[in-house]
Amino acid sequence: MKDKIVVIGGYGQVGQVICSSLGDLFPGKVYAAGRSFDKAARFAATTGNKVIPIQLDAHDINAVDLLEEGTIVVMCLDQDNTNFVERCLQKKIHYIDISASHDFLSKVRSIEKHMTSLESTSVLSVGLAPGLTNMLVKQCVNRMDQVHSADIFIMLGLGEQHGHAAIEWMVDNIASSFSVVENGVNKQVRSLEEGKTTDFPGKFGRRTAYRFNFSDQHVLPETLGISSVSTRICFDSSWITRLIALMKKLGVYRSLQYPAVRRSMINLLSKFHLGTEVYAAKVSANGINNAQSVCYECSIHGQSESFITGKTAAFIAKKMYLQDYRPGIFHTEELFEPMELFEELKAWATFEEGWKS
């Protein structure tokens, strides 16, 4: 019987949150998978054996053959290609991915073009950004007659211990150029430039955030039909945010093209924990409501980006485990409603919304 949920990377920071949350709901049906059986077993023991350990290497596409009783795979690891995803879909296994890489998510989305038929459901953009940011934008769309533009602002705490893959992604995008949609036209922009100021919720106050290559801004023009979308980032420390932007302006990050410098930067950031574990995401959407030009704002904030990413993924997995969704490959906002998710997360995160005067 296909009734197992397999979390690949299940003993990592995000994976543990997913496994623990789902293990409480479906004890004995959730598997923490990874290359180290010992690590998986040690974590599983902390759940009172509600979670079961399993050894599985996601880089081996034949490993999918071990999942004959699997109904859902939740992927917490970064991948270089879509081979494993395609094998899951061929096996009619539902698939959830928390990756933040737009390049990879685009490759997964394109699988539909060469697979003649899909009998399972895949959900992408599951986390803080992309994920909760997508749902904040959708909430603005739900509240307004028309949305012309959406500015997404993300604040991350420098005190949080992020996974190695997340740090690598951040470093690789520090000096990147990328395309965004502005007034329906592609525009080339660069990371850590074009600062924009906003008021974050709670005690965070007014901050300047800078462009960064998050996936949500590439996806939302297509999925929600918005003609201008941008995503900007800042950190809980204002002076470090300014310093990072200044270093970009001075050209310091050009040296990241050299492997030795890149490795050193990744190692430095892995050990750097000067700040808090807070996160905040805010959306300011401009458009029309009742024939008037308006701005609607939504935000969510709390402690630990890793934790809230895991809780978001667990919510998606729970919904897919309990009911059927149409087959295909979707981003979170295409299948789920924002308020249902925000209600699920209210014990750990604060959601706010309203018209901007």
Short mmCIF file of all heavy atoms in Angstrom, two decimals, residues 138-191:
data_model
loop_
_atom_site.label_atom_id
_atom_site.label_comp_id
_atom_site.label_asym_id
_atom_site.label_seq_id
_atom_site.Cartn_x
_atom_site.Cartn_y
_atom_site.Cartn_z
N LYS A 138 -0.32 36.39 -3.25
CA LYS A 138 -1.65 35.90 -3.62
C LYS A 138 -2.72 36.48 -2.71
O LYS A 138 -3.84 36.77 -3.16
CB LYS A 138 -1.69 34.37 -3.58
CG LYS A 138 -3.03 33.81 -4.05
CD LYS A 138 -3.03 32.30 -4.14
CE LYS A 138 -4.38 31.79 -4.66
NZ LYS A 138 -4.40 30.31 -4.79
N GLN A 139 -2.42 36.67 -1.43
CA GLN A 139 -3.38 37.26 -0.52
C GLN A 139 -3.73 38.69 -0.96
O GLN A 139 -4.90 39.10 -0.90
CB GLN A 139 -2.83 37.26 0.91
CG GLN A 139 -3.77 37.83 1.95
CD GLN A 139 -5.03 36.99 2.15
OE1 GLN A 139 -5.19 35.92 1.57
NE2 GLN A 139 -5.95 37.50 2.97
N CYS A 140 -2.73 39.43 -1.42
CA CYS A 140 -3.00 40.77 -1.94
C CYS A 140 -3.88 40.70 -3.19
O CYS A 140 -4.81 41.50 -3.35
CB CYS A 140 -1.68 41.47 -2.29
SG CYS A 140 -0.66 41.88 -0.85
N VAL A 141 -3.61 39.73 -4.04
CA VAL A 141 -4.42 39.53 -5.25
C VAL A 141 -5.86 39.23 -4.86
O VAL A 141 -6.82 39.73 -5.47
CB VAL A 141 -3.84 38.41 -6.13
CG1 VAL A 141 -4.80 38.03 -7.25
CG2 VAL A 141 -2.50 38.83 -6.70
N ASN A 142 -6.04 38.41 -3.82
CA ASN A 142 -7.39 38.05 -3.37
C ASN A 142 -8.16 39.26 -2.81
O ASN A 142 -9.39 39.30 -2.86
CB ASN A 142 -7.32 36.97 -2.29
CG ASN A 142 -6.90 35.62 -2.84
OD1 ASN A 142 -6.91 35.40 -4.05
ND2 ASN A 142 -6.52 34.71 -1.96
N ARG A 143 -7.44 40.24 -2.27
CA ARG A 143 -8.07 41.38 -1.62
C ARG A 143 -8.37 42.52 -2.60
O ARG A 143 -9.13 43.43 -2.27
CB ARG A 143 -7.19 41.93 -0.50
CG ARG A 143 -6.93 40.97 0.66
CD ARG A 143 -8.20 40.58 1.36
NE ARG A 143 -7.94 39.95 2.65
CZ ARG A 143 -8.75 39.11 3.25
NH1 ARG A 143 -9.89 38.77 2.66
NH2 ARG A 143 -8.46 38.60 4.43
N MET A 144 -7.76 42.50 -3.79
CA MET A 144 -7.86 43.63 -4.71
C MET A 144 -8.53 43.20 -6.02
O MET A 144 -8.53 42.03 -6.38
CB MET A 144 -6.47 44.20 -4.98
CG MET A 144 -5.77 44.70 -3.73
SD MET A 144 -4.00 44.98 -3.95
CE MET A 144 -4.02 46.39 -5.06
N ASP A 145 -9.08 44.18 -6.73
CA ASP A 145 -9.68 43.90 -8.03
C ASP A 145 -8.60 43.63 -9.08
O ASP A 145 -8.74 42.74 -9.92
CB ASP A 145 -10.56 45.07 -8.49
CG ASP A 145 -11.78 45.26 -7.59
OD1 ASP A 145 -12.21 44.27 -6.96
OD2 ASP A 145 -12.30 46.39 -7.51
N GLN A 146 -7.51 44.40 -9.02
CA GLN A 146 -6.38 44.22 -9.93
C GLN A 146 -5.09 44.54 -9.19
O GLN A 146 -5.05 45.49 -8.40
CB GLN A 146 -6.48 45.16 -11.14
CG GLN A 146 -7.52 44.77 -12.17
CD GLN A 146 -7.48 45.74 -13.36
OE1 GLN A 146 -7.66 46.94 -13.19
NE2 GLN A 146 -7.21 45.22 -14.53
N VAL A 147 -4.05 43.77 -9.46
CA VAL A 147 -2.72 44.07 -8.92
C VAL A 147 -1.80 44.35 -10.09
O VAL A 147 -1.63 43.51 -10.97
CB VAL A 147 -2.18 42.90 -8.06
CG1 VAL A 147 -0.73 43.17 -7.67
CG2 VAL A 147 -3.03 42.70 -6.81
N HIS A 148 -1.20 45.53 -10.09
CA HIS A 148 -0.29 45.92 -11.17
C HIS A 148 1.17 45.63 -10.83
O HIS A 148 1.96 45.32 -11.71
CB HIS A 148 -0.45 47.42 -11.48
CG HIS A 148 -1.82 47.78 -11.94
ND1 HIS A 148 -2.39 49.01 -11.70
CD2 HIS A 148 -2.75 47.06 -12.63
CE1 HIS A 148 -3.61 49.04 -12.23
NE2 HIS A 148 -3.85 47.87 -12.79
N SER A 149 1.51 45.75 -9.54
CA SER A 149 2.90 45.51 -9.14
C SER A 149 2.95 44.99 -7.72
O SER A 149 2.07 45.26 -6.91
CB SER A 149 3.72 46.81 -9.24
OG SER A 149 3.27 47.76 -8.30
N ALA A 150 3.99 44.22 -7.44
CA ALA A 150 4.18 43.67 -6.09
C ALA A 150 5.66 43.77 -5.73
O ALA A 150 6.52 43.26 -6.46
CB ALA A 150 3.72 42.22 -6.03
N ASP A 151 5.95 44.46 -4.64
CA ASP A 151 7.31 44.54 -4.10
C ASP A 151 7.40 43.62 -2.90
O ASP A 151 6.65 43.76 -1.94
CB ASP A 151 7.63 45.97 -3.68
CG ASP A 151 7.79 46.90 -4.86
OD1 ASP A 151 8.48 46.52 -5.82
OD2 ASP A 151 7.20 48.00 -4.84
N ILE A 152 8.33 42.67 -2.97
CA ILE A 152 8.54 41.69 -1.90
C ILE A 152 9.79 42.07 -1.13
O ILE A 152 10.85 42.31 -1.74
CB ILE A 152 8.69 40.27 -2.48
CG1 ILE A 152 7.45 39.89 -3.30
CG2 ILE A 152 8.92 39.25 -1.37
CD1 ILE A 152 7.64 38.64 -4.15
N PHE A 153 9.69 42.13 0.18
CA PHE A 153 10.82 42.46 1.05
C PHE A 153 11.05 41.31 2.03
O PHE A 153 10.11 40.84 2.67
CB PHE A 153 10.55 43.75 1.82
CG PHE A 153 10.29 44.95 0.95
CD1 PHE A 153 8.99 45.30 0.61
CD2 PHE A 153 11.34 45.71 0.48
CE1 PHE A 153 8.75 46.41 -0.19
CE2 PHE A 153 11.11 46.83 -0.31
CZ PHE A 153 9.81 47.17 -0.66
N ILE A 154 12.30 40.89 2.15
CA ILE A 154 12.66 39.78 3.04
C ILE A 154 13.74 40.23 4.01
O ILE A 154 14.74 40.84 3.60
CB ILE A 154 13.17 38.58 2.23
CG1 ILE A 154 12.09 38.08 1.27
CG2 ILE A 154 13.62 37.45 3.15
CD1 ILE A 154 12.62 37.19 0.18
N MET A 155 13.53 39.98 5.30
CA MET A 155 14.56 40.21 6.30
C MET A 155 14.97 38.88 6.91
O MET A 155 14.13 38.08 7.31
CB MET A 155 14.06 41.14 7.41
CG MET A 155 15.10 41.37 8.51
SD MET A 155 14.39 42.21 9.95
CE MET A 155 14.10 43.81 9.24
N LEU A 156 16.27 38.64 6.96
CA LEU A 156 16.80 37.40 7.53
C LEU A 156 17.67 37.72 8.74
O LEU A 156 18.40 38.72 8.74
CB LEU A 156 17.61 36.63 6.49
CG LEU A 156 16.86 36.15 5.24
CD1 LEU A 156 17.82 35.42 4.31
CD2 LEU A 156 15.69 35.26 5.61
N GLY A 157 17.62 36.87 9.74
CA GLY A 157 18.44 37.03 10.93
C GLY A 157 19.82 36.45 10.73
O GLY A 157 19.97 35.30 10.30
N LEU A 158 20.85 37.23 11.03
CA LEU A 158 22.23 36.78 10.85
C LEU A 158 22.66 35.80 11.94
O LEU A 158 23.73 35.20 11.84
CB LEU A 158 23.17 37.98 10.84
CG LEU A 158 23.08 38.85 9.59
CD1 LEU A 158 23.81 40.18 9.81
CD2 LEU A 158 23.67 38.13 8.38
N GLY A 159 21.83 35.64 12.96
CA GLY A 159 22.18 34.72 14.03
C GLY A 159 21.76 33.29 13.77
O GLY A 159 22.14 32.37 14.51
N GLU A 160 20.97 33.08 12.70
CA GLU A 160 20.49 31.73 12.42
C GLU A 160 21.57 30.89 11.74
O GLU A 160 22.31 31.37 10.87
CB GLU A 160 19.24 31.75 11.55
CG GLU A 160 18.69 30.37 11.24
CD GLU A 160 17.25 30.38 10.79
OE1 GLU A 160 16.66 31.46 10.72
OE2 GLU A 160 16.73 29.30 10.52
N GLN A 161 21.63 29.63 12.09
CA GLN A 161 22.59 28.71 11.49
C GLN A 161 21.94 28.07 10.27
O GLN A 161 21.13 27.16 10.37
CB GLN A 161 23.01 27.63 12.48
CG GLN A 161 24.10 26.71 11.93
CD GLN A 161 24.64 25.76 12.99
OE1 GLN A 161 24.33 25.90 14.16
NE2 GLN A 161 25.45 24.81 12.57
N HIS A 162 22.29 28.55 9.09
CA HIS A 162 21.72 28.05 7.85
C HIS A 162 22.50 26.84 7.36
O HIS A 162 23.69 26.67 7.65
CB HIS A 162 21.72 29.13 6.78
CG HIS A 162 20.87 30.31 7.12
ND1 HIS A 162 19.50 30.30 7.00
CD2 HIS A 162 21.19 31.54 7.61
CE1 HIS A 162 19.01 31.46 7.38
NE2 HIS A 162 20.01 32.24 7.76
N GLY A 163 21.83 26.00 6.57
CA GLY A 163 22.48 24.82 6.00
C GLY A 163 23.52 25.20 4.96
O GLY A 163 23.52 26.31 4.42
N HIS A 164 24.42 24.28 4.68
CA HIS A 164 25.52 24.54 3.75
C HIS A 164 25.00 24.91 2.36
O HIS A 164 25.51 25.85 1.73
CB HIS A 164 26.42 23.30 3.66
CG HIS A 164 27.66 23.51 2.85
ND1 HIS A 164 28.76 24.20 3.32
CD2 HIS A 164 27.97 23.15 1.56
CE1 HIS A 164 29.69 24.24 2.39
NE2 HIS A 164 29.23 23.61 1.32
N ALA A 165 23.98 24.20 1.89
CA ALA A 165 23.44 24.46 0.55
C ALA A 165 22.85 25.86 0.46
O ALA A 165 23.01 26.56 -0.55
CB ALA A 165 22.39 23.42 0.19
N ALA A 166 22.17 26.31 1.53
CA ALA A 166 21.58 27.65 1.53
C ALA A 166 22.66 28.72 1.48
O ALA A 166 22.51 29.74 0.78
CB ALA A 166 20.72 27.83 2.78
N ILE A 167 23.75 28.51 2.20
CA ILE A 167 24.86 29.48 2.19
C ILE A 167 25.52 29.51 0.82
O ILE A 167 25.86 30.58 0.29
CB ILE A 167 25.87 29.14 3.30
CG1 ILE A 167 25.22 29.34 4.67
CG2 ILE A 167 27.12 30.01 3.17
CD1 ILE A 167 26.06 28.85 5.83
N GLU A 168 25.72 28.35 0.22
CA GLU A 168 26.29 28.29 -1.13
C GLU A 168 25.44 29.07 -2.12
O GLU A 168 25.95 29.83 -2.95
CB GLU A 168 26.41 26.84 -1.60
CG GLU A 168 27.61 26.09 -1.08
CD GLU A 168 27.79 24.77 -1.80
OE1 GLU A 168 26.77 24.09 -2.04
OE2 GLU A 168 28.93 24.42 -2.14
N TRP A 169 24.11 28.89 -2.03
CA TRP A 169 23.20 29.59 -2.94
C TRP A 169 23.31 31.10 -2.75
O TRP A 169 23.34 31.86 -3.71
CB TRP A 169 21.77 29.11 -2.70
CG TRP A 169 20.77 29.83 -3.54
CD1 TRP A 169 20.43 29.57 -4.83
CD2 TRP A 169 19.99 30.97 -3.15
NE1 TRP A 169 19.49 30.47 -5.28
CE2 TRP A 169 19.19 31.34 -4.27
CE3 TRP A 169 19.87 31.70 -1.97
CZ2 TRP A 169 18.31 32.41 -4.23
CZ3 TRP A 169 18.99 32.78 -1.93
CH2 TRP A 169 18.23 33.12 -3.06
N MET A 170 23.38 31.53 -1.50
CA MET A 170 23.48 32.96 -1.21
C MET A 170 24.77 33.54 -1.78
O MET A 170 24.76 34.59 -2.44
CB MET A 170 23.43 33.17 0.30
CG MET A 170 23.41 34.63 0.73
SD MET A 170 21.85 35.48 0.43
CE MET A 170 20.80 34.71 1.65
N VAL A 171 25.89 32.85 -1.55
CA VAL A 171 27.18 33.33 -2.05
C VAL A 171 27.20 33.38 -3.57
O VAL A 171 27.68 34.35 -4.18
CB VAL A 171 28.32 32.43 -1.52
CG1 VAL A 171 29.64 32.73 -2.25
CG2 VAL A 171 28.48 32.62 -0.01
N ASP A 172 26.65 32.37 -4.21
CA ASP A 172 26.66 32.31 -5.68
C ASP A 172 25.79 33.39 -6.31
O ASP A 172 25.93 33.68 -7.50
CB ASP A 172 26.21 30.93 -6.16
CG ASP A 172 27.25 29.85 -5.87
OD1 ASP A 172 28.42 30.21 -5.66
OD2 ASP A 172 26.88 28.66 -5.84
N ASN A 173 24.88 33.97 -5.53
CA ASN A 173 24.00 35.00 -6.08
C ASN A 173 24.36 36.41 -5.64
O ASN A 173 23.72 37.37 -6.07
CB ASN A 173 22.55 34.70 -5.69
CG ASN A 173 21.92 33.64 -6.58
OD1 ASN A 173 21.52 33.90 -7.71
ND2 ASN A 173 21.87 32.41 -6.08
N ILE A 174 25.39 36.56 -4.82
CA ILE A 174 25.79 37.88 -4.34
C ILE A 174 26.15 38.81 -5.50
O ILE A 174 25.79 39.98 -5.52
CB ILE A 174 26.96 37.76 -3.34
CG1 ILE A 174 26.45 37.30 -1.98
CG2 ILE A 174 27.68 39.09 -3.20
CD1 ILE A 174 27.53 37.09 -0.94
N ALA A 175 26.88 38.28 -6.48
CA ALA A 175 27.35 39.11 -7.59
C ALA A 175 26.60 38.83 -8.88
O ALA A 175 27.07 39.18 -9.96
CB ALA A 175 28.85 38.90 -7.79
N SER A 176 25.43 38.23 -8.80
CA SER A 176 24.74 37.79 -10.01
C SER A 176 23.95 38.92 -10.67
O SER A 176 23.53 39.89 -10.03
CB SER A 176 23.79 36.63 -9.69
OG SER A 176 22.71 37.09 -8.90
N SER A 177 23.76 38.78 -11.98
CA SER A 177 22.82 39.60 -12.73
C SER A 177 21.66 38.69 -13.11
O SER A 177 21.85 37.50 -13.37
CB SER A 177 23.47 40.16 -13.99
OG SER A 177 24.51 41.04 -13.66
N PHE A 178 20.45 39.25 -13.13
CA PHE A 178 19.29 38.42 -13.45
C PHE A 178 18.20 39.29 -14.04
O PHE A 178 18.26 40.53 -14.00
CB PHE A 178 18.79 37.66 -12.21
CG PHE A 178 18.47 38.53 -11.03
CD1 PHE A 178 17.17 38.97 -10.79
CD2 PHE A 178 19.47 38.91 -10.14
CE1 PHE A 178 16.88 39.77 -9.70
CE2 PHE A 178 19.18 39.72 -9.04
CZ PHE A 178 17.88 40.14 -8.82
N SER A 179 17.21 38.64 -14.61
CA SER A 179 16.13 39.34 -15.29
C SER A 179 14.87 39.35 -14.42
O SER A 179 14.53 38.34 -13.80
CB SER A 179 15.83 38.65 -16.63
OG SER A 179 14.76 39.28 -17.29
N VAL A 180 14.20 40.49 -14.35
CA VAL A 180 12.91 40.59 -13.67
C VAL A 180 11.89 41.15 -14.67
O VAL A 180 12.25 41.69 -15.72
CB VAL A 180 12.98 41.50 -12.42
CG1 VAL A 180 13.93 40.91 -11.40
CG2 VAL A 180 13.38 42.92 -12.80
N VAL A 181 10.62 41.01 -14.32
CA VAL A 181 9.56 41.55 -15.17
C VAL A 181 9.10 42.88 -14.59
O VAL A 181 8.68 42.94 -13.43
CB VAL A 181 8.38 40.56 -15.28
CG1 VAL A 181 7.25 41.20 -16.09
CG2 VAL A 181 8.83 39.26 -15.93
N GLU A 182 9.20 43.92 -15.37
CA GLU A 182 8.77 45.25 -14.95
C GLU A 182 7.87 45.85 -16.02
O GLU A 182 8.31 46.02 -17.17
CB GLU A 182 9.99 46.14 -14.71
CG GLU A 182 9.68 47.41 -13.96
CD GLU A 182 10.94 48.12 -13.49
OE1 GLU A 182 11.56 47.67 -12.49
OE2 GLU A 182 11.33 49.11 -14.14
N ASN A 183 6.64 46.11 -15.67
CA ASN A 183 5.64 46.59 -16.63
C ASN A 183 5.52 45.65 -17.83
O ASN A 183 5.37 46.09 -18.97
CB ASN A 183 5.98 48.00 -17.10
CG ASN A 183 5.96 49.02 -15.97
OD1 ASN A 183 5.07 48.97 -15.11
ND2 ASN A 183 6.93 49.92 -15.94
N GLY A 184 5.60 44.36 -17.53
CA GLY A 184 5.42 43.35 -18.55
C GLY A 184 6.62 43.12 -19.44
O GLY A 184 6.55 42.31 -20.38
N VAL A 185 7.72 43.81 -19.17
CA VAL A 185 8.92 43.70 -20.01
C VAL A 185 10.08 43.20 -19.16
O VAL A 185 10.25 43.61 -18.00
CB VAL A 185 9.28 45.06 -20.64
CG1 VAL A 185 10.55 44.96 -21.46
CG2 VAL A 185 8.12 45.57 -21.49
N ASN A 186 10.91 42.32 -19.71
CA ASN A 186 12.08 41.83 -18.99
C ASN A 186 13.11 42.94 -18.82
O ASN A 186 13.41 43.68 -19.76
CB ASN A 186 12.72 40.65 -19.73
CG ASN A 186 11.89 39.39 -19.62
OD1 ASN A 186 11.17 39.20 -18.64
ND2 ASN A 186 11.98 38.52 -20.61
N LYS A 187 13.64 43.05 -17.61
CA LYS A 187 14.64 44.06 -17.29
C LYS A 187 15.81 43.38 -16.59
O LYS A 187 15.62 42.59 -15.66
CB LYS A 187 14.04 45.13 -16.38
CG LYS A 187 15.05 46.15 -15.85
CD LYS A 187 14.40 47.09 -14.85
CE LYS A 187 15.41 48.04 -14.23
NZ LYS A 187 14.80 48.95 -13.23
N GLN A 188 17.03 43.68 -17.02
CA GLN A 188 18.21 43.09 -16.40
C GLN A 188 18.62 43.92 -15.18
O GLN A 188 18.74 45.15 -15.26
CB GLN A 188 19.37 43.04 -17.42
CG GLN A 188 20.47 42.06 -17.04
CD GLN A 188 20.06 40.61 -17.20
OE1 GLN A 188 19.02 40.31 -17.79
NE2 GLN A 188 20.87 39.69 -16.70
N VAL A 189 18.79 43.24 -14.04
CA VAL A 189 19.19 43.92 -12.80
C VAL A 189 20.32 43.14 -12.15
O VAL A 189 20.65 42.03 -12.58
CB VAL A 189 17.99 44.04 -11.82
CG1 VAL A 189 16.87 44.87 -12.44
CG2 VAL A 189 17.48 42.67 -11.41
N ARG A 190 20.88 43.71 -11.07
CA ARG A 190 21.99 43.06 -10.38
C ARG A 190 21.72 42.97 -8.88
O ARG A 190 21.10 43.85 -8.29
CB ARG A 190 23.30 43.80 -10.64
CG ARG A 190 23.79 43.65 -12.08
CD ARG A 190 25.11 44.31 -12.32
NE ARG A 190 25.00 45.76 -12.33
CZ ARG A 190 26.00 46.57 -12.71
NH1 ARG A 190 27.17 46.06 -13.08
NH2 ARG A 190 25.83 47.87 -12.69
N SER A 191 22.20 41.89 -8.29
CA SER A 191 22.01 41.68 -6.85
C SER A 191 22.63 42.80 -6.04
O SER A 191 23.66 43.38 -6.41
CB SER A 191 22.61 40.34 -6.43
OG SER A 191 21.83 39.27 -6.88
#
